[in-house]
Amino acid sequence: MGALLWLLIPVGAGLVAAVWSSWALRNRKAGDVAELAGYARFRDAMEKEHSVSVPDPASDPV
């Protein structure tokens, strides 16, 4: 009877692995649209020119 209990451990681990793998490989098409929209917003923000006032070292009276 003890041997059967030890056999249940790998069988249970196999079942848990099968459930996890089916969950990990599920079809997630809905998330791509939001990710692409976020990337487009990021790209637009990087393309904008930001006016930063940096002092010109040539005109610095020292």
Side-chain angles (χ1 to χ4, degrees), residues 1-33:
M1 188 66 171
L4 290 177
L5 289 176
W6 278 104
L7 184 61
L8 286 178
I9 293 172
V11 170
L15 290 174
V16 169
V19 168
W20 177 81
S21 65
S22 66
W23 177 78
L25 294 174
R26 70 189 186 279
N27 195 358
R28 292 181 274 184
K29 289 185 179 179
D32 291 342
V33 175

Side-chain angles (χ1 to χ4, degrees), residues 10-57:
V11 170
L15 290 174
V16 169
V19 168
W20 177 81
S21 65
S22 66
W23 177 78
L25 294 174
R26 70 189 186 279
N27 195 358
R28 292 181 274 184
K29 289 185 179 179
D32 291 342
V33 175
E35 290 178 17
L36 290 175
Y39 177 69
R41 287 192 308 270
F42 171 76
R43 192 177 57 226
D44 291 340
M46 288 292 124
E47 289 176 355
K48 288 182 182 177
E49 291 186 25
H50 297 286
S51 61
V52 177
S53 60
V54 177
D56 188 15

